[in-house]
Amino acid sequence: MKGKKIILGITGSIAAYKAALLVRELVKKGAEVKVIMTKSATEFITPLTLSTLSNHKVYTDFTDGQNQIWNSHVELGLWGDCLLIAPASANTLGKLANGLCDNILSATYLSARCPVVICPAMDLDMYQHPSVLNNLEKLKEYGDHIIDATHGELASGLIGKGRMAEPEDIVKELELILNEFKPLKNKKVLITSGPTREPIDPVRFISNHSSGKMGQAIAEQAVLWGAQVVFVTGPTLHLPHLTNTKTIHVTS
């Protein structure tokens, strides 16, 4: 990520609070970050917070306040090595999929020549609605990268799929997308990881202290270098959360 120019688009979702952590993580990795916010996003997190963390002004409109200086979405689209939209609300997904550009974020999206990475976030029923699923498929057809929402507790109190991916996982995916050094491209790598549990009887088993951290690290590096990974793991919480990884859970 060092030296990469990242445009971070933030939309109106409760997950916008994670954007501060995301900016900080990107800056720590050596990336330069410019933030674009929709008007509704500013109700969840302030531009001042993101400006402070990114060391750049935050773009919220086509013109710059009372000075009436034009914020060129064309220049922004050409500046970035990647346009990351996180979180992406259902409303924004609909605009991007159908070419609507009534704000500076959607206009920058249409102007961008760099890879686009989209991280959806919304309530579970919204996420499963046919119109949202259709828009996600459209964006994939355009060549955009979708980092799927995860399963967990949502702001509504419901539990299901709709949480934005965690910032550290998003950064790993960005590294995968932007990395040009891929010596394992078109290679298939099988990795076994974690402990096993060998039953003695219906209650007891013999196991070991393997955490699975080493296997996770090897799998993520292999994917970063372009491999397709099959990850066979015993009972552990340390799993690779990257595309191009097929995880198979085993016990014994």
Side-chain angles (χ1 to χ4, degrees):
M1 296 297 296
K2 189 173 183 179
K4 295 295 184 182
K5 298 175 180 177
I6 309 297
I7 308 166
L8 174 60
I10 305 169
T11 72
S13 164
I14 186 63
Y17 80 91
K18 292 184 179 180
L21 303 174
L22 186 52
V23 171
R24 188 174 182 183
E25 193 71 23
L26 289 167
V27 171
K28 281 172 60 178
K29 291 278 187 177
E32 186 177 358
V33 182
K34 290 187 178 181
V35 177
I36 303 174
M37 302 179 72
T38 63
K39 291 287 182 63
S40 56
T42 63
E43 298 180 14
F44 292 95
I45 187 171
T46 66
L48 177 60
T49 299
L50 298 163
S51 175
T52 302
L53 291 172
S54 66
N55 294 314
H56 282 290
K57 65 177 279 188
V58 172
Y59 301 86
T60 58
D61 209 339
F62 289 106
T63 57
D64 190 4
Q66 296 180 345
N67 298 323
Q68 292 299 298
I69 299 173
W70 182 44
N71 292 323
S72 174
H73 60 275
V74 176
E75 289 182 6
L76 276 170
L78 295 176
W79 175 83
D81 293 315
C82 178
L83 171 58
L84 169 64
I85 303 176
S89 64
N91 183 51
T92 294
L93 291 177
K95 290 180 180 180
L96 303 184
N98 294 285
L100 304 178
C101 55
D102 60 351
N103 60 46
I104 188 171
L105 175 56
S106 52
T108 301
Y109 168 79
L110 292 180
S111 302
R113 298 183 183 178
C114 56
V116 178
V117 181
I118 299 172
C119 305
M122 64 199 74
D123 204 63
L124 68 98
D125 293 312
M126 297 172 68
Y127 198 68
Q128 294 303 320
H129 195 278
S131 63
V132 171
L133 297 176
N134 185 54
N135 286 332
L136 287 170
E137 287 304 314
K138 276 188 181 181
L139 293 169
K140 289 178 184 177
E141 290 173 6
Y142 299 159
D144 299 339
H145 302 271
I146 308 297
I147 299 180
D148 209 6
T150 61
H151 187 281
E153 186 175 353
L154 306 172
S156 64
L158 299 175
I159 296 176
K161 190 174 182 180
R163 288 172 60 94
M164 188 180 86
E166 294 303 318
E168 56 269 25
D169 293 330
I170 293 173
V171 171
K172 287 178 182 178
E173 288 284 354
L174 282 184
E175 289 178 319
L176 173 63
I177 292 165
L178 297 177
N179 180 40
E180 297 174 355
F181 178 68
K182 296 186 177 179
L184 295 181
K185 188 175 181 179
N186 298 323
K187 298 292 184 181
K188 296 178 181 178
V189 178
L190 172 64
I191 297 172
T192 61
S193 181
T196 57
R197 294 176 179 175
E198 308 301 333
I200 299 172
D201 55 39
V203 176
R204 297 172 296 170
F205 59 81
I206 298 173
S207 186
N208 59 63
H209 293 295
S210 174
S211 67
K213 289 181 180 180
M214 180 68 77
Q216 178 191 30
I218 293 173
E220 290 178 348
Q221 190 63 45
V223 172
L224 186 63
W225 283 0
Q228 295 179 2
V229 172
V230 175
F231 188 73
V232 180
T233 178
T236 177
L237 297 177
H238 296 286
L239 306 172
H241 297 288
L242 292 173
T243 53
N244 286 346
T245 304
K246 178 183 178 181
T247 300
I248 299 174
H249 295 275
V250 300
T251 301
S252 66

